[in-house]
Amino acid sequence: MIATDNLELSLNDLSIDDGLANANSNKIMKWNLPLKELYKFACGFYKEKSGKAIHLSYEDNLKLVAFTQQAAHGPLDLMKAPPLGMFDVIGKDRRIAWQQLGTITKLQAMEGFIDLLDRLCPLFKPYVEAIKKDKEEKARLAEQDQIQRTEAQAAEKERLEEQRRIEDEKNREELQRRQLQDALNQQTYHQFKEYAEIQFPGNPEQQAVLIRQLQNEHYHQYMQQLQAQVATNYARLKGDADPEEGENPSTVGATGAGANELGELTNSTTKENSQFEFKEQCDSDNDSGDYAVISPANMWTKADIKLFKQEVMAGKGDGVIRVNHGDTVTVKVPTHEGGSCLFWEFATDSYDIGFGVYFEWGKPPTTEVSVHISESDEDDDTIEEDEEVICAEDLECGPVQSSQTSSTGSALGSRNPISIIIPIYRRECHQEVYAGSHSYPGEGTYLLKFDNSYSLWRPKTLYYKVFYTR
């Protein structure tokens, strides 16, 4: 037990000895481990197991302690060694064993301690092997965990890229669908309008509903015919392919051709309808002679609805209006001589609201923005059943006809004509901010209509901004 206590002191000396912590000791390997690290394992094993799992003789303990002294301090220097007592027999034996090691280096002393302990205790090498396996397993698990994290990051990145690609594809298809449907609607508007006037004479609201239904049915029928035509062309291309080639390059070519043909037919139809629309607008301008064709408005949405409401309530917007159930609020915005384009933004709390934009031609009586509230959408100050509505570039009304202008001119009296820029539709403005812009078509007053007439019980809180730019 005296030898064991002395070993503990030697280990403490080893841990603070600067001479041992050199670069060479980390490069020398033994049993596939750095010598210094293996020596620490050996000292720990000897301290823990001595007198328990292993029982060594007095001479063997002296040799092991001598190796630890040599590894910690180097060769014995009797001039620097403290004096021993007269009756310190064990101390004398330790010094003799240490002195017998001669001038071997500290690294050689470490290796000698390991070899002697391995020879005296067969359990030491399996103990080291177990430690090595444990370290290797931890390293393997760490490497595997790193690989899994890398793979997960790569998979997440690929998923996000695929999701963006799908969203872009959906947006592109939706844009093409809308362009095609708009072109078809403008092409068939006059025919459907005549039919709607026969079905619902004197009722423009029911006429507009019927026209939209007919236009939607016409669009779906057109797409069915287009898909049937593409399928026919695909079958023809597939039939012309070489039978010996099977379904390798021919099938792929036919599929690509079918998809390209659908896109080309869609783009061609859209282009032809756009040319027809432009010609129809020019004809309308020549017939009316008084008012230019109104260009379509731009509309978009913004996600920062909370920030928008805070800005409006803080006085950075035009204001907050309570639109009661059954009411329609009309915000009248005159054109400004210093502006060329009107912008608007609006949002609501909790529920949607109808929104549309009209334009009243003629010099505005004031330059101030005003708010008017009526109990229905048919405000006396805007549109009456017998009042003329110039619907240039509008899917709900179609271009102006000169015969209609002449026949209704006497009924208008002193009222200014009104054009529909955006028909009134319900907007999900309680979820995001709706914004839009429109270039001035001329001198007049914009009528921004917020319609809650369809609601029987719920009032709506409206936040809005209007401004112009040069």
Side-chain angles (χ1 to χ4, degrees):
M1 295 304 296
I2 297 176
T4 304
D5 295 338
N6 189 74
L7 176 62
E8 183 176 357
L9 294 174
S10 300
L11 289 177
N12 293 332
D13 294 338
L14 177 64
S15 62
I16 61 175
D17 188 3
D18 296 333
L20 188 60
N22 55 67
N24 293 331
S25 63
N26 293 327
K27 295 180 181 179
I28 298 176
M29 303 292 293
K30 187 176 182 65
W31 296 355
N32 294 325
L33 286 173
L35 179 61
K36 182 179 177 181
E37 183 177 1
L38 180 59
Y39 176 69
K40 287 183 178 181
F41 291 154
C43 291
F45 176 81
Y46 175 70
K47 178 182 176 182
E48 179 184 358
K49 304 296 183 181
S50 180
K52 299 176 183 178
I54 57 176
H55 300 277
L56 303 179
S57 64
Y58 178 74
E59 290 76 10
D60 292 334
N61 280 323
L62 288 177
K63 293 178 182 178
L64 290 173
V65 171
F67 278 123
T68 61
Q69 294 288 348
Q70 189 85 357
H73 306 289
L76 175 63
D77 187 355
L78 294 176
M79 301 297 296
K80 296 181 179 180
L84 297 175
M86 182 180 300
F87 299 102
D88 189 1
V89 178
I90 298 176
K92 293 179 181 179
D93 293 340
R94 287 201 302 268
R95 287 200 175 178
I96 293 173
W98 185 1
Q99 191 173 14
Q100 289 177 352
L101 295 178
T103 59
I104 64 174
T105 64
K106 294 181 179 181
L107 297 179
Q108 291 173 338
M110 293 181 188
E111 188 172 6
F113 180 87
I114 294 169
D115 291 338
L116 179 59
L117 183 62
D118 180 41
R119 186 169 62 254
L120 297 175
C121 183
L123 297 178
F124 173 60
K125 194 165 188 177
Y127 169 81
V128 174
E129 293 295 331
I131 294 178
K132 285 173 55 179
K133 289 182 179 180
D134 183 65
K135 290 182 61 177
E136 292 173 356
E137 180 65 17
K138 290 181 179 179
R140 186 188 66 81
L141 292 177
E143 183 180 0
Q144 184 178 1
D145 185 60
Q146 180 63 30
I147 293 174
Q148 290 177 352
R149 284 198 301 268
T150 303
E151 292 177 350
Q153 293 175 355
E156 179 66 14
K157 182 179 180 181
E158 184 178 355
R159 185 187 68 81
L160 293 176
E161 291 178 353
E162 180 66 15
Q163 184 177 356
R164 283 194 297 267
R165 186 191 66 79
I166 293 175
E167 290 178 355
D168 292 342
E169 182 68 17
K170 288 182 179 179
N171 293 336
R172 185 183 64 83
E173 292 177 355
E174 179 64 16
L175 179 61
Q176 290 181 352
R177 185 194 68 79
R178 290 182 179 179
Q179 291 176 348
L180 177 60
Q181 190 170 11
D182 290 344
L184 291 174
N185 290 346
Q186 294 180 8
Q187 192 176 25
T188 59
Y189 175 76
H190 297 293
Q191 178 183 355
F192 293 156
K193 187 174 187 298
E194 293 176 359
Y195 176 78
E197 289 175 347
I198 296 174
Q199 296 296 320
F200 300 101
N203 193 338
E205 292 184 357
Q206 291 294 332
Q207 291 176 14
V209 172
L210 179 58
I211 291 172
R212 284 196 296 270
Q213 292 176 352
L214 294 174
Q215 288 174 338
N216 289 333
E217 292 178 2
H218 177 260
Y219 169 75
H220 291 303
Q221 291 176 1
Y222 176 83
M223 292 304 298
Q224 291 176 357
Q225 293 175 0
L226 186 63
Q227 292 173 358
Q229 183 178 355
V230 171
T232 302
N233 294 338
Y234 168 72
R236 186 184 302 113
L237 290 173
K238 186 175 181 181
D240 294 340
D242 188 359
E244 295 181 358
E245 294 181 358
E247 296 183 357
N248 292 333
S250 300
T251 303
V252 175
T255 305
N260 293 333
E261 184 175 358
L262 176 58
E264 291 174 359
L265 288 172
T266 303
N267 295 333
S268 175
T269 304
T270 304
K271 183 177 180 181
E272 291 175 0
N273 290 327
S274 299
Q275 294 174 352
F276 176 82
E277 171 192 354
F278 177 76
K279 180 178 181 301
E280 189 177 43
Q281 293 172 1
C282 294
D283 293 342
S284 176
D285 289 345
N286 295 332
D287 292 340
S288 62
D290 294 331
Y291 303 102
V293 174
I294 294 183
S295 60
N298 297 320
M299 285 198 69
W300 62 93
T301 59
K302 301 190 302 182
D304 51 351
I305 187 169
K306 291 184 178 179
L307 178 61
F308 173 76
K309 291 179 180 179
Q310 292 173 358
E311 291 178 352
V312 174
M313 290 188 293
K316 299 180 181 180
D318 289 84
V320 182
I321 301 176
R322 179 182 175 87
V323 185
N324 290 323
H325 58 86
D327 286 355
T328 297
V329 170
T330 302
V331 179
K332 294 186 176 183
V333 186
T335 55
H336 196 278
E337 60 181 6
S340 62
C341 184
L342 177 71
F343 284 80
W344 61 84
E345 297 177 353
F346 66 93
T348 57
D349 285 338
S350 303
Y351 304 105
D352 61 0
I353 198 169
F355 174 75
V357 180
Y358 295 73
F359 188 80
E360 182 178 359
W361 296 88
K363 186 174 182 179
T366 178
T367 59
E368 298 295 329
V369 177
S370 59
V371 178
H372 300 264
I373 301 176
S374 63
E375 295 183 355
S376 68
D377 187 36
E378 297 182 4
D379 192 349
D380 293 339
D381 294 333
T382 55
I383 301 176
E384 298 287 351
E385 290 186 358
D386 296 333
E387 184 177 346
E388 177 189 20
V389 178
I390 298 177
C391 301
E393 203 66 280
D394 181 64
L395 301 183
E396 295 294 326
C397 300
V400 178
Q401 299 298 327
S402 58
S403 60
Q404 296 176 356
T405 304
S406 61
S407 62
T408 60
S410 58
L412 288 174
S414 60
R415 292 185 181 276
N416 294 326
I418 295 176
S419 298
I420 301 178
I421 299 174
I422 301 175
I424 296 177
Y425 291 111
R426 294 171 67 172
R427 318 285 176 170
E428 300 291 336
C429 51
H430 60 294
Q431 297 178 351
E432 53 189 350
V433 180
Y434 274 70
S437 66
H438 188 258
S439 300
Y440 287 179
E443 193 174 24
T445 303
Y446 282 94
L447 308 177
L448 278 62
K449 302 182 73 63
F450 298 94
D451 181 16
N452 196 31
S453 59
Y454 57 87
S455 180
L456 299 177
W457 306 105
R458 295 191 180 102
K460 311 293 173 60
T461 301
L462 172 68
Y463 306 79
Y464 76 96
K465 288 182 181 181
V466 288
F467 53 93
Y468 68 88
T469 59
R470 296 182 182 276

